[in-house]
Amino acid sequence: MNGFAGRILKIDLTTGAVEKSPLPEAFIRTYLGGTGFAARFLYDNVPPNADALGPSNVLILAPGLLNGFPVPTGGKVLFCAKSPLTGTIAESVMGARLGSELKRAGYDLLLVSGVSGSPCYIYIDDEDVEIKDAGGLWGKDTRATAEDIRRTEGDAVVACIGIAGENLVRYANIDCEDRQSGRGGLGAVMGSKRLKAIAVKGTGNLRPHDADKLMDLCLRYTERMIESTAFNDDTKYGTGEFLEWMNSEKGTFPTRNWREGVFDDREKIDPYHWAPLYTKRNNACLACPKPCGRIFGIDEGKYAGLRIDGIEYELLYSLGGLCGMGDIEELARANELCDLHGLDGISAGAAVAFAMDLFQDGILTREDTGGLDLEFGDPEAELKLIEMIARREGLGDVLAEGVKRASERIGKGSEDYAVHVKGMEPPAYDVRGIKGMALAFMTSSRGACHLRSCAYALELTGKFWKFEGVDRFSTKGKGVEIKELEDMMTVYDVLGVCKFSRGFFLAEGFVDILRTVTGLEFSESEILGLGERINNLKHMFNLREGLTRDDFRLPKRLLTLPIPEGVSKGHVVTEEEMNKMLDDYFEARGWSKEGLPTEEKISGLDLV
């Protein structure tokens, strides 16, 4: 079929078996690509209650359907497995060339199972697939690993883990070309398989259904993006360009482990302050004409020579405001450590902030911290803890489990300080002042997440897509709102399109693009129905792994501690509001009060 390579590649690291099989056309029509393919294969190939860090878990690499074609921002590829952090489905998207390269090598999907007897890496060069020794790479950081493999394999695209993945830190990530599949501990899944890296070279061509029309559409959307009002701010200041707005106009920037919703040192970490001083150049994801990525560089002083891709909004929050850190160079170093060691910067920052909070209230003492004074805003404490987490040393070994498990080990009331949903540390939206996002944190299949729904875009502005007049402080209508947004954003992850292009691509635009690439005819309602099917499938996987209604709860701090200052002062999500929104969401999904899909729902979505 046009638009696809047409094959699945399966590798068993225990036996060394390599299997190539055709991708059935009926399966393509039902799931299309990206997160659709990944969710189906995860459900079918990982046995119930499998150990996420055991041989039965399956690591899945799933390119978006549009990978390999010049659709603007259509270069997103997805890793997926059962999460060692949450026990639910874990999926995380990155903007590297990996997906395009895998499709050009001849595969729409890579499944890795088993455990290697020794450190290894997978090398794919079109038809040649090998499992190679990585003994000399074990212990190296992500940059050194990728450079070493490229010296051996030429211009292969390399995805790899750092020492955090090797040490099974439950929120270790996967790095590729300065982009990360960050959330849910997918790097730890690779580490558990002793899989240091996946290197891919592809030389084949992908054929679209209608090349001329596809080029017309690509040029039209590219022009729209370049001429948009957002182009200037996005390319100059990146994803952090609205940091000041989130503080001063919305009062929803989580600060000092969610004690506050406004960071008083925000000017020092605002891109409008530091971007002109430290940005060396833009650094676009594959196929993106509107690059928000940038190379941040320090030329002199303590960190002279530092170069990172960033600093993204989420890490300005987690490594910045959440830890009370107002020094941009120290924050950049913390970002660099997370990248080199292969740590999810959101969860790592949240774990550090959690420990600082406990130290401030005397629950942790210097005896617990190995002599460290864990004060909010202390850069030495933050950098040292990140190192300890990656190496699982001392208190770092406890924090490497994530704040949920760490609080269970520490005890002494520390559970009240652990901010998470389903075990996942949240991103940079203080949902006490954004009620729809509070529900989105609860319902996301991978734990607290802003990207499964992108509801912040609607909640904070009051209108997006087919919604208008939305009140962020109200709980009214949130069930339908989040359900519809989740289904829409799932289509983005099927196609491999960046969600920062959500102002340009909506369902009707995807219908045109899908037709020109594949020849498949989908109506707008059918493509949104595809999103609904996939979200139900992910939910069924989570239910099979033991998820119950109690796992959807918000953490105690967000239910009992109102935002103390700023525009959202006094706001909190009450227990009653939480339960009402969740009831509304389950009803919108057609699920029972306990969140169970009916037989009719499952059958109607062709999920039997």
Side-chain angles (χ1 to χ4, degrees), residues 422-442:
K422 300 188 183 91
M424 175 84 83
E425 296 78 10
Y429 302 88
D430 196 326
V431 299
R432 289 170 290 192
I434 322 172
K435 300 294 173 66
M437 275 304 296
L439 179 59
F441 277 11
M442 289 189 272

Side-chain angles (χ1 to χ4, degrees), residues 382-572:
E382 178 172 334
L383 297 177
K384 180 63 177 175
L385 265 190
I386 290 172
E387 286 281 3
M388 291 168 67
I389 290 169
R391 300 179 188 282
R392 279 190 174 272
E393 294 174 348
L395 179 62
D397 183 49
V398 179
L399 299 176
E401 296 289 292
V403 299
K404 178 177 182 291
R405 286 183 175 82
S407 71
E408 292 166 354
R409 284 178 60 174
I410 294 168
K412 298 184 284 187
S414 63
E415 295 88 346
D416 293 350
Y417 296 73
V419 180
H420 69 88
V421 179
K422 300 188 183 91
M424 175 84 83
E425 296 78 10
Y429 302 88
D430 196 326
V431 299
R432 289 170 290 192
I434 322 172
K435 300 294 173 66
M437 275 304 296
L439 179 59
F441 277 11
M442 289 189 272
T443 61
S444 160
S445 57
R446 68 177 185 177
C449 173
H450 58 303
L451 292 172
R452 300 308 91 186
S453 68
C454 288
Y456 61 92
L458 169 61
E459 289 277 317
L460 291 168
T461 63
K463 63 179 181 179
F464 171 66
W465 189 26
K466 56 188 179 183
F467 298 97
E468 289 187 355
V470 171
D471 179 357
R472 67 186 172 103
F473 296 123
S474 168
T475 58
K476 187 177 180 182
K478 303 301 183 185
V480 171
E481 173 190 315
I482 298 304
K483 182 264 182 193
E484 294 288 314
L485 288 170
E486 285 178 343
D487 291 347
M488 173 65 129
M489 290 304 140
T490 297
V491 177
Y492 279 73
D493 288 339
V494 165
L495 301 180
V497 175
C498 177
K499 289 166 184 167
F500 289 139
S501 63
R502 59 180 173 266
F504 304 96
F505 295 117
L506 294 171
E508 66 272 19
F510 285 147
V511 168
D512 276 348
I513 292 173
L514 185 58
R515 183 187 304 114
T516 59
V517 171
T518 67
L520 291 170
E521 294 287 347
F522 274 78
S523 67
E524 187 176 335
S525 63
E526 283 175 324
I527 203 165
L528 292 173
L530 172 75
E532 183 179 16
R533 176 182 302 125
I534 295 166
N535 279 315
N536 274 267
L537 182 58
K538 292 175 185 176
H539 184 60
M540 289 166 60
F541 178 86
N542 288 344
L543 290 174
R544 196 182 72 182
E545 300 306 303
L547 191 85
T548 70
R549 182 181 173 111
D550 281 347
D551 295 302
F552 288 78
R553 289 183 59 84
L554 291 171
K556 184 175 180 180
R557 177 156 288 187
L558 305 189
L559 294 170
T560 58
L561 180 65
I563 297 176
E565 299 291 344
V567 176
S568 297
K569 180 179 179 179
H571 283 280
V572 72

Side-chain angles (χ1 to χ4, degrees), residues 187-331:
V189 175
M190 280 184 68
S192 73
K193 297 182 178 303
R194 299 192 184 92
L195 177 61
K196 182 68 175 176
I198 300 169
V200 185
K201 278 200 284 191
T203 61
N205 290 317
L206 295 164
R207 186 183 299 276
H209 172 70
D210 187 337
D212 291 339
K213 185 169 183 183
L214 176 61
M215 190 53 66
D216 287 344
L217 284 172
C218 293
L219 290 173
R220 190 190 313 163
Y221 279 110
T222 298
E223 288 175 3
R224 284 188 196 175
M225 290 183 187
I226 291 174
E227 293 171 359
S228 70
T229 55
F231 181 86
N232 184 60
D233 287 347
D234 287 351
T235 55
K236 277 189 175 179
Y237 306 110
T239 56
E241 60 88 14
F242 75 145
L243 183 144
E244 172 61 28
W245 185 75
M246 285 292 285
N247 279 274
S248 61
E249 295 193 33
K250 300 299 176 184
T252 50
F253 188 73
T255 297
R256 296 182 183 87
N257 199 36
W258 299 76
R259 285 174 177 253
E260 302 148 42
V262 178
F263 184 38
D264 45 12
D265 267 347
R266 61 185 179 276
E267 289 183 8
K268 299 174 184 174
I269 63 170
D270 187 341
Y272 282 83
H273 161 66
W274 56 257
L277 302 174
Y278 295 99
T279 299
K280 300 303 178 186
R281 62 177 172 81
N282 288 104
N283 190 32
C285 292
L286 179 65
C288 179
K290 190 175 68 70
C292 58
R294 63 204 50 257
I295 299 299
F296 179 109
I298 299 176
D299 295 330
E300 55 187 25
K302 184 176 173 184
Y303 298 123
L306 178 149
R307 293 289 186 277
I308 55 172
D309 183 291
I311 304 168
E312 300 294 336
Y313 173 70
E314 296 298 336
L315 300 199
L316 293 170
Y317 140 77
S318 61
L319 301 173
L322 203 63
C323 297
M325 177 69 65
D327 185 314
I328 195 62
E329 293 197 0
E330 299 288 355
L331 205 164

